[in-house]
Amino acid sequence: MWERVTEIVRKEFRQTLREPRMRGILIGPPLLQMIVFGFAVNLDVTQVRLGWMDLDRSVESQEIRQRFVSNRTFVITAEAGSEREAQDLLDRGTVQGVVRIAPGFGADARGSRQTEIQVLLDGANSNTAAIVGNYAAAVISTRNKELLMAQQTRKLVGRTQNGPILLRIPSVQPERRVWFNPELKSRNYFVPGIIVNIITLVTLMLTALSIVREKEIGTMEQIMVTPIRPIELMLGKTIPFAIIGFLQMNLVTLIALTIFRVPLNGSYFLLAGASCLFLLSTLGAGLFMSTISDTQQQAMMATFFFFQPAFMLSGFAFPLRNMPQVVQWVTYLNPLRYFMEIVRGVFLKGSGLDVLWSQMVMLGVFGVTILFLSAQRFHKRLD
Amino acid sequence: MKWRRFRAIFHKEALHIMRDWRSLMMALAVPLVLLLLFGYALTLDVDRILTVIYDQDQTPQSRELVERFRGSRYFQIVPGPANYRTIVKHIDDSSALLGIVIPNDFAHRVESAQEAKVQLLLDGSDSNTASIAVGYAEALILAHSAELREQMLQRRGQGKLKMPVDVRIRVLYNNELKSKNFIVPGLIAVILMIIAALLTSLTIAREWENGTMEQLLSTPVRPTELLLGKLAAYFVLGMADMVISLIVGVGIFGVPLRGSTLLLIVSSALFLFGALCWGILLSTITRSQLLAYQLSLLSSFLPAFLLSGFIYSIDNMPFVIQQFTRIVPARYFVAILQGVFMKGTGLEVLWMQMLFLVMYGALVFTIAVRKMRQKMA
Amino acid sequence: MQPHEQFAVVLEHLTKRFGEFTAVDDVSLRVGKGEIFGFLGPNGAGKSTAIRILCGLLAPTSGQAWVHGFDVAREPERVKQSIGYMSQRFSLYDDLTVEENLDFFSGIYGVPRERRPERKAYALKMAGLESELPTMARLLSGGWKQRLALGCAILHEPPIVFLDEPTSGVDPIARRQFWDLIYAMAEGGTTVFVTTHYMEEAEYCHRLSLMYKGRTIALGTPKELKAAFGEDATMDDVFIDSIEREEARTA
């Protein structure tokens, strides 16, 4: 039996590497995803374009401006002289926020009266807005503290009989310590996830395509009149792509480590083991896809569109945690979700089996189930 | 150009579309699924952040701070014992994103008007959520800090002293900071791209593969008639989809539409036209459905999805890629969509993007006609 | 009167090269109005290429051709309005019904509104598909498809009809019935230009030309051709002998 399987495996490798379409799938998507998610997509807010509307033009307002500028996050790219100009800047998207200082600001500050600064944010991209808002608030808060201290000193010096009191002011200072991705690079978040995407796409599509191609050109019939048994055909058709998928996983990992410098804090073997379990699911799905498609084109479209939701609901780009509860329950049926957690856990958190055992189990369960059911269906179709 | 021949082609294409379940699925099911996903399921909003609070101090002052976190919609406190070990465990197994440690000298320091530090321990793996979460936490702590100062000043009889500078933050356009408000409008661009590029990329290649193209070529039909006839059928489909998306987005998901609906429809029509011509162009030059499909996926759908600014803002992309997005038509359309929906801006702000769409449409149409003439000659 | 005004189809030194390969090599012939003219030859002989040129689908490399008095290279549009073409794969739209296919081609060929119902009825009757109006084209068997395709090609009453291997893959009875249709058309004054590789169909043509490797190696009525090869010669003999002679000549 194994000779026959080996024959098929060998044939598959040859065909896959020869056909430009298949080769394309092997190289294209991984490359594309890595370029896009490794380089292009960047959720980090590093440079905020700010508009400055200073209607006061006092020493004090200049101070505030100085504070913003010296914070490397903000870049003042435009000045506004009026409400309309400010609105226009925001409407056009020229700036992401406008700091607005009303006339009388300096006078109020000098006279120790409370005054205010307005920060208008472009809420269009809500996450950027949240980050920008928090940054701006922090800058002003720091300034506040300084001003308050100065005020105190001015007001109180000489008040007591015992001499000037350096008034201390209570302040609560947050101190952040970031674990696992200390620079908070979104690249570290995305790139490990690419492994999941790539393995899924490649193994799924190639498995489905290779089987459907035989159906299309008629060689499937040819094969069926030989002494081959369905199980051998299945093995022959899935083993090559399991190997390819595994190799791709390694390739992407290598690139992630070297070019993108994503840390691999956990065990490679855990990653490899999880990949193998995950492959069971994707290969099974590929088998299934091949039973519902008659032409290669159908297979491509079916895999692509059928799996878009699976990709979206895997936690790759959109955190699962914030989805509506119902949707979260649905994601429990998605093997990609578990593999994504494992991959991110292994790369960034250095998590081991003790933390990830439940995901591994789920992967195993799903893998075996999907593969088994698909194999049944495949078997039936052949007879 | 003969109206009659155009009509015959249009009628035939319409029949094809309605009878091909694959096309229909792409035209109706996929947009609906996408709308459902992005309008309902997928969100980039950050709230109810799972937080563990380890209060080492256990004083009224520390509890005051804890209450602030508890009362905030952004934080969801994880129940159970809290200490360093549990924080580590929760963060490791992702049952918490944030650990807050209030040191045991917190109240003492606050009372004696010194600086008290509060530790924020953060799971950085999801950097985006983490950045926002820590931002909210820091903001909350700073606000508490400011309040403490005020209280102290009040108590010391310097009640007149207030915080020197009060910050008023106003969020324009999307003051609830709902991510779906900016994603769903941009989604329209993606949906139209699917119809336009993917469906049309198959149409001419399919005629070549079936042999019916040759038949058509032997008839008096002209390249322009063929192009426009096919285009018209998909145009109707695309605009129908756009209207559906609009109704679902605004009516069901409550995405605000503040600008001119007319501008929306006109820009959609322009964009659709250009995208359709591109799809037909690909179909004409490749003659193979599979190849046309892959090319259109690569050149239309993916850029529209990833590089148009629909979810991932172009601002943060590396310079080279930012420049590349200049030739992605979806970028301009998404800018118009987000402007019209959220900002309520009009032509005076968006004219440049409209101009680009017009130019793009004209250019691709010309090339498509020329290529078709070449292939038909 | 110029030959191309007198004759339905005229080819003069028509040549078509694809790079190094010469598909049609210096072919000259004339087909009269109402004639059934056959282009015979093995696969790859250049028959389909020649027909494509005559339909305005390909441009000749050199030489000239006129169809219904119009130069195929200079006025392909007017040629297309005067011909009906049935391609080798009887290209119908599989996912359209019989009626929808007819309506489509009616629109494409610009059949005048008043004439549409009449022509449609005629095509249906001719094809025997009156009761199959709502049937999907892909559900029709080979013979029916063939006749529907012919029907679609003549809706606009073209004076000349080009049929490229119209009977390939069709059973012998359907083939015979099809040729009955062709005869009926010719009797009605339509010129029919047919290609085929079935030798027995050669007998049905008024005149025919044998093509081999792009050249015309024999031209005449079936009777004339057979006579040149001796008593009891069949078209097969004519064919094989001609080819052998050609091979010998060019060796």
Side-chain angles (χ1 to χ4, degrees):
Chain A
M1 149 164 152
W2 285 105
E3 298 106 59
R4 287 196 286 259
V5 174
T6 320
E7 265 316 305
I8 301 186
V9 170
R10 203 185 314 192
K11 171 183 85 78
E12 284 308 314
F13 268 118
R14 239 183 250 140
Q15 280 186 314
T16 306
L17 295 174
R18 258 187 223 154
E19 218 192 289
R21 215 174 292 154
M22 306 281 243
R23 277 208 307 260
I25 296 181
L26 279 180
I27 304 176
L31 201 61
L32 189 70
Q33 290 211 20
M34 283 195 280
I35 292 180
V36 171
F37 289 107
F39 291 116
V41 173
N42 186 4
L43 300 177
D44 317 332
V45 177
T46 44
Q47 281 260 294
V48 179
R49 284 169 289 122
L50 211 57
W52 198 260
M53 186 170 139
D54 183 356
L55 298 175
D56 188 45
R57 299 194 181 286
S58 59
V59 173
E60 286 75 13
S61 63
Q62 283 290 77
E63 277 286 341
I64 298 271
R65 185 193 173 111
Q66 201 41 45
R67 287 286 175 281
F68 270 94
V69 168
S70 62
N71 177 320
R72 279 168 302 131
T73 324
F74 292 105
V75 175
I76 298 182
T77 56
E79 311 276 335
S82 67
E83 290 289 349
R84 249 179 27 110
E85 277 179 41
Q87 184 70 42
D88 195 55
L89 285 175
L90 286 164
D91 278 347
R92 285 180 195 279
T94 319
V95 296
Q96 290 159 282
V98 173
V99 173
R100 187 176 162 280
I101 303 179
F105 174 79
D108 283 338
R110 281 192 297 272
S112 300
R113 290 183 291 280
Q114 187 179 50
T115 176
E116 77 168 29
I117 291 182
Q118 259 202 357
V119 178
L120 301 166
L121 293 176
D122 180 349
N125 185 319
S126 49
N127 282 354
T128 313
I131 295 179
V132 175
N134 288 334
Y135 282 170
V139 169
I140 294 184
S141 173
T142 317
R143 181 71 189 131
N144 254 338
K145 225 175 55 174
E146 293 167 5
L147 280 179
L148 196 54
M149 292 207 65
Q151 254 178 44
Q152 297 312 304
T153 324
R154 264 183 289 127
K155 284 225 156 184
L156 295 175
V157 156
R159 271 264 192 123
T160 66
Q161 301 126 328
N162 303 338
I165 296 177
L166 204 58
L167 187 71
R168 286 173 307 178
I169 302 170
S171 81
V172 186
Q173 197 59 30
E175 221 181 34
R176 62 157 92 169
R177 283 240 306 269
V178 180
W179 288 347
F180 308 137
N181 181 8
E183 293 163 66
L184 288 179
K185 282 218 187 101
S186 63
R187 174 188 291 183
N188 290 346
Y189 172 62
F190 281 122
V191 171
I194 294 179
I195 292 181
V196 180
N197 285 353
I198 302 280
I199 295 188
T200 310
L201 194 65
V202 170
T203 52
L204 194 56
M205 231 184 238
L206 288 183
T207 310
L209 279 183
S210 88
I211 297 176
V212 174
R213 179 164 34 102
E214 304 240 24
K215 269 204 271 185
E216 222 177 13
I217 55 184
T219 51
M220 186 64 105
E221 246 178 16
Q222 210 70 38
I223 291 181
M224 291 320 298
V225 296
T226 67
I228 196 169
R229 301 210 311 271
I231 180 76
E232 293 164 1
L233 185 62
M234 264 186 270
L235 282 174
K237 285 283 183 184
T238 51
I239 288 179
F241 303 112
I243 297 178
I244 289 180
F246 193 73
L247 286 176
Q248 292 235 322
M249 184 275 285
N250 285 304
L251 186 64
V252 177
T253 305
L254 192 63
I255 295 183
L257 292 174
T258 54
I259 297 184
F260 293 115
R261 300 188 185 282
V262 175
L264 177 56
N265 291 326
S267 149
Y268 166 76
F269 292 105
L270 185 54
L271 186 64
S275 305
C276 292
L277 284 179
F278 182 64
L279 280 170
L280 294 177
S281 296
T282 58
L283 293 172
L287 274 182
F288 180 77
M289 285 286 128
S290 76
T291 61
I292 64 171
S293 314
D294 290 318
T295 68
Q296 288 189 71
Q297 199 208 352
Q298 277 179 4
M300 268 197 94
M301 287 172 55
T303 24
F304 189 76
F305 281 107
F306 198 61
F307 282 89
Q308 276 288 46
F311 284 124
M312 309 261 202
L313 295 174
S314 66
F316 172 63
F318 298 93
L320 296 175
R321 179 70 191 80
N322 292 320
M323 294 182 186
Q325 199 57 41
V326 177
V327 181
Q328 289 196 41
W329 287 334
V330 171
T331 64
Y332 282 118
L333 296 175
N334 186 359
L336 277 80
R337 173 210 171 118
Y338 302 106
F339 192 40
M340 191 71 72
E341 285 175 10
I342 294 177
V343 168
R344 287 220 174 100
V346 169
F347 267 90
L348 296 174
K349 293 181 162 182
S351 306
L353 207 50
D354 48 331
V355 176
L356 296 170
W357 66 270
S358 61
Q359 284 90 338
M360 291 289 271
V361 166
M362 290 309 285
L363 271 190
V365 167
F366 271 107
V368 169
T369 315
I370 294 179
L371 197 54
F372 185 68
L373 290 176
S374 303
Q376 294 266 40
R377 195 187 151 92
F378 188 74
H379 198 135
K380 257 199 325 178
R381 279 307 199 86
L382 288 184
D383 288 336
Chain B
M1 142 141 171
K2 279 264 181 76
W3 188 244
R4 180 90 200 283
R5 294 197 286 255
F6 163 80
R7 265 224 323 264
I9 303 256
F10 174 67
H11 187 62
K12 169 181 90 74
E13 285 307 306
L15 287 172
H16 281 320
I17 293 175
M18 290 197 288
R19 296 206 182 138
D20 181 9
W21 69 267
R22 264 175 281 139
S23 303
L24 277 182
M25 194 191 80
M26 267 216 270
L28 296 173
V30 168
L32 282 178
V33 167
L34 283 177
L35 277 169
L36 195 68
L37 279 175
F38 285 101
Y40 176 64
L42 300 174
T43 173
L44 292 173
D45 301 336
V46 176
D47 58 13
R48 292 177 301 126
I49 301 160
L50 292 168
T51 311
V52 178
I53 303 189
Y54 176 27
D55 184 359
Q56 286 182 338
D57 202 35
Q58 301 282 344
T59 57
Q61 288 85 345
S62 66
R63 278 193 269 265
E64 217 186 315
L65 182 58
V66 172
E67 273 318 299
R68 278 192 91 120
F69 275 100
R70 234 183 254 283
S72 161
R73 77 168 234 246
Y74 293 117
F75 300 97
Q76 187 174 317
I77 315 295
V78 172
N83 51 53
Y84 273 115
R85 233 171 1 103
T86 59
I87 290 183
V88 169
K89 176 172 152 321
H90 278 300
I91 290 187
D92 265 347
D93 67 21
S94 301
S95 49
L97 185 70
L98 181 64
I100 302 178
V101 180
I102 305 178
N104 54 14
D105 61 353
F106 183 75
H108 169 76
R109 286 184 153 264
V110 162
E111 287 308 315
S112 59
Q114 291 173 56
E115 190 178 78
K117 291 206 204 287
V118 172
Q119 254 198 351
L120 298 175
L121 302 167
L122 193 59
D123 178 353
S125 34
D126 178 353
S127 49
N128 189 47
T129 309
S131 299
I132 298 175
V134 81
Y136 284 138
E138 286 175 350
L140 193 148
I141 292 178
L142 289 176
H144 187 71
S145 175
E147 226 184 70
L148 283 180
R149 271 178 242 154
E150 274 211 34
Q151 283 175 6
M152 186 212 79
L153 293 172
Q154 299 266 15
R155 275 182 290 141
R156 301 230 182 149
Q158 286 133 19
K160 298 226 182 76
L161 279 171
K162 307 259 182 137
M163 283 317 301
V165 185
D166 192 16
V167 181
R168 293 283 168 83
I169 297 190
R170 245 180 69 204
V171 177
L172 299 182
Y173 315 131
N174 183 11
N175 45 19
E176 291 168 67
L177 287 184
K178 284 238 169 79
S179 64
K180 77 167 172 223
N181 286 351
F182 76 89
I183 292 182
V184 171
L187 191 60
I188 294 184
V190 173
I191 290 177
L192 288 184
M193 257 307 181
I194 291 179
I195 305 293
L198 291 182
L199 281 184
T200 54
S201 68
L202 301 176
T203 174
I204 293 196
R206 182 167 40 213
E207 301 239 27
W208 277 113
E209 281 180 10
N210 288 344
T212 49
M213 190 55 149
E214 207 181 57
Q215 190 71 37
L216 274 182
L217 291 181
S218 73
T219 67
V221 85
R222 306 297 199 104
T224 326
E225 289 159 3
L226 188 59
L227 182 63
L228 287 176
K230 286 185 178 281
L231 216 133
Y234 290 100
F235 186 81
V236 170
L237 194 60
M239 287 313 276
D241 254 312
M242 186 245 152
V243 170
I244 293 178
S245 307
L246 193 60
I247 294 178
V248 171
V250 176
I252 300 185
F253 293 124
V255 173
L257 173 56
R258 301 197 177 108
S260 147
T261 317
L262 181 63
L263 183 55
L264 190 62
I265 293 182
V266 169
S267 56
S268 301
L270 279 176
F271 178 71
L272 189 56
F273 180 73
L276 286 171
C277 287
W278 180 251
I280 293 188
L281 176 63
L282 285 179
S283 199
T284 309
I285 57 182
T286 59
R287 292 202 190 193
S288 145
Q289 287 188 72
L290 201 52
L291 192 55
Y293 179 73
Q294 286 171 305
L295 278 180
S296 90
L297 209 60
L298 212 57
S299 64
S300 308
F301 177 66
L302 285 181
F305 200 89
L306 299 168
L307 298 175
S308 61
F310 134 72
I311 302 182
Y312 303 118
S313 74
I314 300 181
D315 282 324
N316 297 328
M317 295 184 187
F319 182 71
V320 174
I321 300 191
Q322 276 191 26
Q323 298 311 307
F324 178 74
T325 63
R326 283 184 195 277
I327 58 168
V328 174
R331 170 203 171 132
Y332 300 94
F333 186 44
V334 167
I336 295 179
L337 286 169
Q338 288 178 343
V340 171
F341 270 89
M342 279 195 294
K343 301 187 179 181
T345 49
L347 206 52
E348 64 291 350
V349 174
L350 298 168
W351 63 269
M352 207 166 66
Q353 285 86 345
M354 286 290 270
L355 187 62
F356 185 91
L357 286 184
V358 169
M359 285 183 349
Y360 172 69
L363 183 68
V364 185
F365 179 69
T366 318
I367 299 180
V369 171
R370 193 180 318 166
K371 276 293 166 189
M372 199 170 271
R373 283 219 185 100
Q374 269 179 19
K375 296 282 174 168
M376 285 175 84
Chain C
M1 194 155 71
Q2 290 271 16
H4 56 260
E5 285 162 31
Q6 205 185 342
F7 290 91
V9 180
V10 176
L11 281 72
E12 266 174 28
H13 302 291
L14 192 68
T15 307
K16 177 68 184 173
R17 273 187 279 276
F18 293 106
E20 292 292 313
F21 174 65
T22 308
V24 176
D25 196 352
D26 194 23
V27 174
S28 301
L29 52 92
R30 294 172 185 183
V31 179
K33 299 189 181 162
E35 243 194 287
I36 301 179
F37 189 86
F39 243 6
L40 253 70
N43 293 327
K47 315 188 296 286
S48 291
T49 313
I51 277 212
R52 287 213 185 92
I53 297 178
L54 293 174
C55 290
L57 292 171
L58 285 177
T61 312
S62 68
Q64 283 181 296
W66 289 263
V67 170
H68 198 53
F70 300 114
D71 184 331
V72 301
R74 297 226 197 99
E75 294 172 290
E77 299 313 316
R78 310 199 64 179
V79 167
K80 287 177 186 176
Q81 273 157 355
S82 331
I83 61 167
Y85 172 62
M86 196 175 131
S87 76
Q88 235 174 351
R89 297 154 72 168
F90 336 137
S91 310
L92 299 164
Y93 289 101
D94 275 339
D95 58 340
L96 291 169
T97 64
V98 168
E99 181 169 25
E100 285 160 355
N101 267 289
L102 285 169
D103 285 337
F104 173 66
F105 283 103
S106 188
I108 288 291
Y109 279 119
V111 176
R113 184 157 299 192
E114 325 79 68
R115 302 272 290 150
R116 269 187 247 166
E118 189 191 319
R119 293 304 301 162
K120 183 157 127 186
Y122 177 81
L124 282 168
K125 184 140 173 277
M126 180 192 80
L129 288 167
E130 292 115 314
S131 56
E132 303 287 350
L133 277 170
T135 313
M136 282 288 158
R138 69 164 167 271
L139 297 174
L140 297 173
S141 66
W144 292 110
K145 267 198 187 150
Q146 167 207 54
R147 285 142 76 148
L148 176 59
L150 182 64
C152 289
I154 52 110
L155 285 166
H156 55 306
E157 296 172 282
I160 304 173
V161 171
F162 289 94
L163 309 174
D164 194 357
E165 312 249 356
T167 53
S168 38
V170 172
D171 69 82
I173 298 186
R175 254 190 267 149
R176 261 256 58 155
Q177 289 172 333
F178 192 76
W179 274 94
D180 288 337
L181 289 177
I182 296 182
Y183 271 120
M185 275 170 30
E187 260 159 52
T190 311
T191 311
V192 180
F193 203 106
V194 139
T195 68
T196 178
H197 60 261
Y198 288 117
M199 287 308 127
E200 61 273 21
E201 289 187 352
E203 312 261 3
Y204 306 154
C205 302
H206 292 150
R207 274 199 317 145
L208 51 94
S209 148
L210 229 50
M211 282 199 78
Y212 184 63
K213 291 192 181 168
R215 317 196 99 243
T216 315
I217 58 175
L219 178 64
T221 70
K223 220 157 149 196
E224 284 166 10
L225 291 178
K226 282 194 285 188
F229 284 86
E231 292 281 328
D232 303 330
T234 62
M235 280 313 300
D236 261 334
D237 297 329
V238 173
F239 189 62
I240 295 172
D241 278 344
S242 306
I243 291 181
E244 278 173 359
R245 272 192 213 173
E246 181 67 13
E247 284 291 316
R249 196 181 66 80
T250 54

